[in-house]
């Protein structure tokens, strides 16, 4: 392919976990790319994330705002500090749920899957609403709870009541006794807040593919716990559907339970979607929308991305999947990865023009970690060279990719 006189190059990598942040990866790729580009080139960098780890940092980098810290609690109610962000005007907020109720924060104690809840996430949400934010971006994933978002709702001022009018105990284990949800104490502004929720799964709320069955065991749930949690989530869907505000939106219990993606993070989004009209968005898409990548990706002649491992999962809601689906029809897409599990034919069929191994010739993990930045810089230059004059990469990198590259799985 011949370069244009004024090419537009977009650099949008994910992080290389354990080695480089998305911002550091983008900077390295940009340095390399500029070595091969004319001075008239326009290079735009967008450190990316797929809605999980790194999403908060990606958004705040685009907003040119520092992360803020506040006290909250983990999934078991223990004190911890969590990071969140506000834009310059304080009207938009970004929250990573895992900052509060992430599974890693409770691995130091015996798992309590029936008790764990999302209250700590709600503490952050209540705080940003009270500060004046009316547009909240919430990244789900990595949670330790399966409470259907009732803990979050409780932190916003709602009460979960049983048939005797008593408040339920925290966690998904008590939800089967839920009779009504009292919204009279909601924090001012909660119902007027626009919510966008990032998910990277399509699981429903209940059933064999739902939150409890699929993700509960990862959070320490036994088979009997899973049955309790699934029944609780089913009851939550019924009670939500009976709530006047939800009924006005046209939701049925079956519809709530079956909604694709609502099972993410133990069903945390369920009350936000049904009560507040929250929008579910794939994580990478939401990050791209928030940081402004979606507005310019169609102008790119070349797109360079990167991640720990390029495999089938990369093509299902991850950063690479967003890029291949959003780029212009003639844009040249290059992906640099520490490990590549797709054949050249599979990459081409997926819309990836070139897949470059990060550490070709690097024989051990220590070197790969140590030299990740200069290796990415070299691959940035290589990516532009491939756009200018494609080579037989299958021949060039044959037998050079060793199994050790998988250490940087994303």
């Amino acid at each position: 392919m011949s370069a244009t006189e004024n090419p537009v190059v977009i650099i949008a990598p994910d992080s290389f976990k354990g080695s480089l942040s998305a911002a550091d990866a983008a900077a390295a790729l940009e340095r390399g790319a500029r070595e091969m580009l004319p001075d008239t080139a326009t290079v735009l960098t967008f450190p990316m994330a797929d809605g999980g780890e790194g999403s908060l940092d990606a958004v705040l980098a685009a907003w040119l705002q520092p992360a803020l810290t506040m006290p909250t609690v983990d999934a078991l109610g223990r004190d911890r500090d969590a990071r969140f962000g506000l834009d310059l005007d304080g009207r938009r907020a970004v929250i990573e749920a895992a900052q509060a109720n992430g599974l890693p924060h409770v691995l130091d104690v015996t798992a309590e899957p029936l008790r764990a809840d999302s209250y700590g996430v709600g503490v952050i949400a209540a705080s940003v609403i009270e500060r004046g934010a009316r547009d909240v971006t919430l990244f789900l994933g990595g949670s330790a709870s399966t409470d259907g978002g009732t803990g979050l709702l409780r932190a916003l001022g709602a009460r979960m009541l049983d048939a005797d009018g008593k408040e339920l105990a925290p966690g998904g284990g008590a939800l089967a006794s839920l009779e009504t949800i009292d919204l009279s104490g909601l924090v001012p502004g909660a119902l007027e807040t626009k919510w966008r929720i990032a998910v990277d799964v399509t699981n429903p709320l209940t059933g064999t593919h739902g939150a409890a069955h699929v993700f509960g065991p990862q959070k320490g749930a036994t088979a009997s716990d899973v049955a309790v949690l699934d029944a609780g989530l089913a009851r939550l869907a019924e009670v939500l559907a009976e709530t006047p505000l939800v009924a006005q939106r046209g939701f049925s219990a079956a519809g709530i339970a079956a909604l694709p993606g609502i099972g993410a993070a133990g069903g945390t989004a369920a009350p936000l979607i049904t009560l507040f009209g929250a929008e579910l968005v794939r994580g990478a898409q939401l990050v791209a929308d928030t940081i402004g990548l979606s507005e310019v990706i169609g102008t790119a002649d070349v797109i360079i991305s990167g991640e720990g491992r390029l495999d089938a999962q990369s093509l299902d809601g991850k950063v690479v999947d967003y890029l291949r689906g959003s780029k212009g029809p003639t844009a040249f897409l290059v992906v640099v990865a520490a490990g590549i599990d797709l054949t050249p034919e599979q990459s081409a069929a997926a819309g990836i023009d070139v897949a470059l191994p990060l550490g070709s010739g690097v024989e051990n993990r220590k070197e790969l970690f140590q030299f990740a930045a200069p290796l990415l810089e070299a691959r940035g230059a290589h990516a532009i060279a491939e756009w200018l004059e494609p080579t037989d990469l299958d021949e060039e990198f044959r037998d050079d990719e060793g199994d050790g590259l998988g250490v940087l799985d994303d």
Side-chain angles (χ1 to χ4, degrees):
M1 178 181 293
S2 298
T4 63
E5 293 183 0
N6 302 290
V8 175
V9 178
I10 287 179
I11 297 175
D14 202 343
S15 63
F16 286 72
K17 189 175 296 183
S19 180
L20 292 175
S21 67
D24 289 337
L29 287 168
E30 180 182 4
R31 289 193 300 271
R34 286 191 180 278
E35 293 178 5
M36 301 296 294
L37 288 167
D39 293 339
T40 54
T42 297
V43 181
L44 305 173
T45 61
F46 293 91
M48 274 288 286
D50 61 11
E53 181 182 353
S55 300
L56 173 64
D57 293 330
V59 172
L60 291 179
W63 286 355
L64 300 177
Q65 295 298 307
L68 303 174
T69 303
M70 65 168 288
T72 183
V73 294
D74 66 17
L76 297 179
R78 301 178 302 174
D79 292 342
R80 68 169 280 102
D81 289 335
R83 298 165 67 243
F84 68 101
L86 294 168
D87 72 356
L88 182 61
D89 297 327
R91 301 293 294 177
R92 291 187 296 171
V94 57
I95 301 170
E96 273 186 8
Q99 285 283 322
N101 76 332
L103 184 59
H105 306 319
V106 295
L107 292 179
D108 61 318
V109 295
T110 302
E112 297 188 58
L114 300 182
R115 173 190 164 200
D117 78 349
S118 56
Y119 184 82
V121 183
V123 170
I124 306 172
S127 177
V128 300
I129 292 173
E130 289 168 351
R131 291 171 184 237
R134 291 297 180 268
D135 186 325
V136 177
T137 296
L138 175 61
F139 293 107
L140 298 181
S143 79
S145 59
T146 312
D147 73 334
T150 52
L152 185 157
L153 195 57
R154 190 160 50 88
L156 291 177
R159 296 195 304 155
M160 312 300 130
L161 306 176
D162 65 15
D164 296 324
K166 297 180 180 179
E167 287 201 54
L168 299 184
L175 287 179
S177 299
L178 181 65
E179 185 68 22
T180 58
I181 300 175
D182 178 8
L183 301 174
S184 62
L186 283 178
V187 299
L191 290 174
E192 292 75 41
T193 298
K194 175 183 177 181
W195 294 81
R196 291 180 298 165
I197 304 175
V199 297
D200 61 0
V201 299
T202 57
N203 301 78
L205 187 63
T206 62
T208 56
H209 298 292
H213 281 276
V214 175
F215 305 113
Q218 302 171 13
K219 305 172 186 182
T222 64
S224 60
D225 291 337
V226 167
V228 170
L229 292 169
D230 190 62
L233 293 174
R235 179 56 185 160
L236 173 62
E238 293 172 351
V239 174
L240 282 170
E242 294 167 359
T243 303
L245 188 59
V246 177
Q248 292 171 15
R249 298 182 186 278
F251 284 105
S252 66
I256 295 170
L259 187 66
I262 201 171
T268 298
L272 299 176
I273 294 170
T274 55
L275 292 168
F276 303 147
E279 177 187 9
L280 277 182
V281 184
R282 296 305 292 266
Q285 177 73 59
L286 183 50
V287 173
D289 291 347
T290 305
I291 67 177
L293 174 56
S294 297
E295 298 175 9
V296 297
I297 190 169
T299 68
D301 298 298
V302 184
I303 301 171
I304 306 174
S305 187
E307 60 179 16
R309 179 168 292 278
L310 178 63
D311 55 19
Q313 292 186 4
S314 304
L315 309 179
D316 185 17
K318 303 299 183 180
V319 171
V320 170
D321 189 32
Y322 163 76
L323 294 173
R324 71 188 182 115
S326 302
K327 71 182 183 70
T330 62
F332 191 81
L333 175 59
V334 182
V335 179
V336 181
I340 298 176
D341 291 343
L342 300 180
T343 66
E345 293 75 21
Q346 290 171 325
S347 294
I352 300 168
D353 294 282
V354 175
L356 296 175
L358 171 64
S360 178
V362 177
E363 297 181 356
N364 62 70
R365 297 180 179 185
K366 182 178 179 180
E367 287 187 1
L368 194 60
F369 277 109
Q370 182 178 358
F371 298 113
L375 286 169
L376 267 180
E377 187 172 334
R379 291 296 176 253
H382 195 161
I384 299 301
E386 285 298 321
W387 176 57
L388 295 170
E389 188 175 351
T391 61
D392 184 353
L393 290 177
D394 190 45
E395 176 67 27
E396 183 174 349
F397 293 117
R398 188 171 292 141
D399 299 325
D400 282 344
E401 295 163 12
D403 293 338
L405 299 181
V407 67
L408 297 187
D409 282 1
D410 190 46

